Amino acid sequence: MTEAPLLTVDRLSIAFGMVKPVVQQVSCEVFPGQTTCIVGESGSGKTLTSLAVMGLLPGSGTIIQGEVRGPKGAVWAKPGWHGAPIGRDVAMVFQDPMSSLNPSMRVGAQVAEPLELHRNTRGEAARVEVARLFDEVGLPQGSERKYPHELSGGQKQRVMIALALACNPKVLLADEPTTALDVTVQRDILDLLQRLRDERGLGVLFVTHDLDVVRDIADHVVVMRDGEVVESGPCQIVMDAPKHPYTQSLLAAMPKVHEASAQTTRAAGPADGAPLVAARGVVKRFVTRTNIWGKPTHIFDALKGVDLAIAVGERVGLVGESGSGKSTLGNILLGLDTWDEGDVTWKGGAPEGAAFRRDAQPVFQDPFSALNPSMAVGTALQEAVDARADKHGPSVAGLLEEVGLRASDAARKPGSFSGGQRQRIVLARALALSPEFLVLDESVAALDLRIQAEILDLLKDLCDRRGLTFLFISHDLNIVRAVCDRIAVMREGEIVEEAPATQLLSSPQHPYTQRLLNSSPGSPKRVGVA
């Protein structure tokens, strides 16, 4: 490496109070025009490392050993001292732009603040520079006059990037900046960051848990576990020939969307005769605005004549971006919402009655909000067991063991479990009623890669043993491919393509499906529509 690093993290250790360090002896470098990715699961210390560079350690967190150096070896941080030129030489893009932006200020005024503070640029000159920055990050003209809530998630993240670039930093830190975004928006933001890196000669320290993103953008990779670096090196070497067992386990847990399934593909598509559940020509409208007399003036068409039939034992994936109507359709199939036109059937009849409510069960995205935090999980499961028609089904202890937990866990409350364990509990509660049909709405989206793989394996095993039918709603094609026989693609309230999983992912027919596949990190690019 001929060029000197723009950022050096040298044997950095971080602790909270007098307890054992939570980050120990972490070292990495960031070079001009290159991206160094820190990758690891939740709690690995990757975000704390980036916050230490910025002097933003929470609470009593302090650097107790090592140092952070900027260009030309200038010391930016060491035990008991932090002096990094925040905003001028180093800036950060955070994961959640909505919590980082002031909701009461126009976004243009927020980007102008660092210009006034660090560059003494005010008035018309500041307005011109804000407009130039917004154009550089791809925001539409006039965006500077809007408030954060008037922008989409991707646009808010572009504002955050413009804010970070306002004072021409040499180093850009990005902490999971695309995690909450749809795959197409994620691709746009990743491409934008790479373009800005190349044009400005930035050094980028990118924190993520997504190995597909790492493979796409990284020049160097640092793998962290439990506050320590277990492996580091050039991206291609670490990704293609990992040496540490932990790195190997992370890579092994990745769903392989573009590889042929090793298992025999099950028959996909509704079987002969009546499907288990079906939607035919379903239309759902929401009133978004009324006049002073309560009469609707604006109506949003969430579903526009949707047709979807699911056979007994079938595993169907429903994919699409936010706002496409996926969750709305799932709620209607569960009987949790009404529809305005069309027809929904359950076993050929109406989706109603106590039997239907027992047989069709949801598994929600956020298990913590789906569980009562003050109630022991055994009590919550017992409520479901008592409502079961079949009194000879599994007990609370049996349900916990079926989803990979211990019977003794029944006495614990939700707050004492990890995210993956809570998702197992929510799944156990759904199974307590001995259902025939599950709707899983982004039910593994918030989990780390290895935990995600464990839950997907558990789901497949449970479906095989119980003969379950399910609709799996997700924006992640990798996950859907791992568990589904057939995939339906939704866009703006319509199903634009539907086919067996292997066929759809290898030979997509609709331009939107192909765009989703091309946007997915780690995917080979396709040209034209198959």
Side-chain angles (χ1 to χ4, degrees):
M1 183 62 64
T2 56
E3 291 190 89
L6 292 173
L7 175 68
T8 301
V9 178
D10 186 13
R11 294 170 293 177
L12 187 72
S13 295
I14 301 168
F16 288 81
M18 302 300 293
V19 298
K20 177 184 176 182
V22 292
V23 171
Q24 300 185 66
Q25 298 285 312
V26 170
S27 297
C28 65
E29 293 179 317
V30 180
F31 293 88
Q34 295 190 9
T35 300
T36 296
C37 280
I38 302 181
V39 64
E41 296 175 298
S42 299
S44 62
K46 56 188 189 296
T47 293
L48 281 177
T49 300
S50 65
L51 292 176
V53 175
M54 297 291 291
L56 297 175
L57 287 172
S60 61
T62 56
I63 297 173
I64 61 170
Q65 185 180 349
E67 62 182 22
V68 178
R69 297 190 294 272
K72 300 179 181 180
V75 176
W76 280 1
K78 60 183 180 180
W81 182 82
H82 186 278
I86 304 301
R88 300 187 302 276
D89 282 355
V90 58
M92 190 165 186
V93 179
F94 296 95
Q95 178 174 350
D96 181 11
M98 194 63 196
S99 65
S100 301
L101 294 169
N102 187 333
S104 65
M105 286 180 65
R106 299 182 193 274
V107 293
Q110 297 185 57
V111 175
E113 280 190 336
L115 296 175
E116 297 176 5
L117 181 64
H118 296 299
R119 294 173 55 181
N120 199 29
T121 303
R122 304 174 186 277
E124 182 61 25
R127 286 191 289 273
V128 170
E129 179 63 9
V130 168
R132 187 195 67 79
L133 285 166
F134 276 27
D135 180 67
E136 185 178 12
V137 299
L139 283 166
Q141 188 174 6
S143 296
E144 63 271 17
R145 295 189 295 273
K146 294 187 176 182
Y147 291 93
H149 71 272
E150 297 178 295
L151 302 174
S152 69
Q155 288 174 327
K156 284 194 281 281
Q157 200 58 282
R158 289 175 188 269
V159 171
M160 288 300 301
I161 294 171
L163 189 60
L165 296 177
C167 296
N168 299 314
K170 299 179 178 66
V171 180
L172 183 65
L173 278 58
D175 184 11
E176 302 271 15
T178 64
T179 297
L181 303 178
D182 288 318
V183 63
T184 53
V185 182
Q186 179 188 51
R187 169 51 57 198
D188 291 341
I189 296 298
L190 292 175
D191 289 346
L192 171 64
L193 287 172
Q194 289 179 285
R195 175 175 64 80
L196 293 171
R197 178 200 65 187
D198 295 340
E199 291 176 355
R200 288 172 168 253
L202 291 168
V204 178
L205 183 65
F206 196 102
V207 174
T208 184
H209 69 277
D210 191 328
L211 291 173
D212 279 325
V213 170
V214 171
R215 192 183 293 274
D216 269 7
I217 69 170
D219 298 289
H220 307 276
V221 180
V222 177
V223 183
M224 290 188 66
R225 184 186 190 189
D226 297 333
E228 299 180 354
V229 174
V230 297
E231 186 165 359
S232 63
C235 178
Q236 186 171 352
I237 293 176
V238 173
M239 298 296 285
D240 293 343
K243 297 178 180 178
H244 196 277
Y246 176 69
T247 312
Q248 294 169 359
S249 69
L250 286 180
L251 289 165
M254 295 173 64
K256 305 297 192 295
V257 66
H258 297 285
E259 293 182 5
S261 176
Q263 301 174 351
T264 303
T265 302
R266 292 148 38 96
D272 294 336
L276 179 66
V277 61
R280 296 182 177 88
V282 170
V283 173
K284 176 64 179 178
R285 303 184 183 97
F286 291 99
V287 176
T288 58
R289 191 178 303 172
T290 61
N291 59 23
I292 59 174
W293 298 282
K295 183 178 180 180
T297 58
H298 289 78
I299 294 176
F300 172 67
D301 293 321
L303 299 178
K304 306 171 183 177
V306 170
D307 294 313
L308 182 67
I310 303 175
V312 174
E314 199 178 11
R315 307 168 184 181
V316 178
L318 187 61
V319 300
E321 296 174 291
S322 298
S324 62
K326 307 185 302 293
S327 295
T328 300
L329 179 58
N331 288 337
I332 288 174
L333 293 179
L334 284 168
L336 298 178
D337 205 347
T338 59
W339 61 97
D340 297 302
E341 295 178 23
D343 191 30
V344 176
T345 60
W346 170 260
K347 297 181 179 179
E352 58 188 19
F356 166 71
R357 289 192 293 272
R358 286 192 297 266
D359 288 343
Q361 288 291 307
V363 179
F364 296 109
Q365 176 177 355
D366 180 10
F368 195 74
S369 63
L371 295 168
N372 187 333
S374 64
M375 182 183 291
V377 298
T379 305
L381 291 176
Q382 189 62 51
E383 285 185 345
V385 168
D386 292 341
R388 185 172 58 207
D390 177 14
K391 301 305 179 183
H392 301 291
S395 64
V396 168
L399 287 165
L400 287 170
E401 291 172 350
E402 187 176 14
V403 297
L405 298 173
R406 299 186 303 269
S408 58
D409 289 331
R412 297 166 59 188
K413 293 183 179 179
S416 66
F417 292 93
S418 68
Q421 289 172 325
R422 285 196 290 266
Q423 197 58 272
R424 290 173 185 266
I425 294 165
V426 171
L427 188 55
R429 188 173 63 179
L431 296 173
L433 292 162
S434 300
E436 298 180 47
F437 177 56
L438 297 179
V439 174
L440 302 105
D441 191 354
E442 299 279 10
S443 55
V444 297
L447 302 178
D448 286 319
L449 196 61
R450 290 193 306 162
I451 307 301
Q452 195 178 83
E454 291 173 4
I455 297 297
L456 293 177
D457 288 342
L458 170 64
L459 178 62
K460 288 186 285 188
D461 180 59
L462 289 170
C463 287
D464 288 339
R465 285 192 279 113
R466 285 180 171 246
L468 288 170
T469 304
F470 68 70
L471 177 68
F472 195 100
I473 298 172
S474 179
H475 67 278
D476 192 326
L477 286 162
N478 293 339
I479 293 173
V480 172
R481 172 65 183 90
V483 295
C484 295
D485 312 315
R486 180 163 55 101
I487 298 175
V489 180
M490 287 197 75
R491 183 188 188 192
E492 296 178 355
E494 299 177 294
I495 292 180
V496 298
E497 186 166 0
E498 184 179 352
T502 303
Q503 176 184 324
L504 184 139
L505 294 171
S506 62
S507 183
Q509 299 298 304
H510 195 278
Y512 178 69
T513 309
Q514 191 171 51
R515 183 182 171 214
L516 287 179
L517 286 165
N518 285 339
S519 299
S520 181
S523 67
K525 295 294 180 282
R526 296 175 173 82
V527 179
V529 179

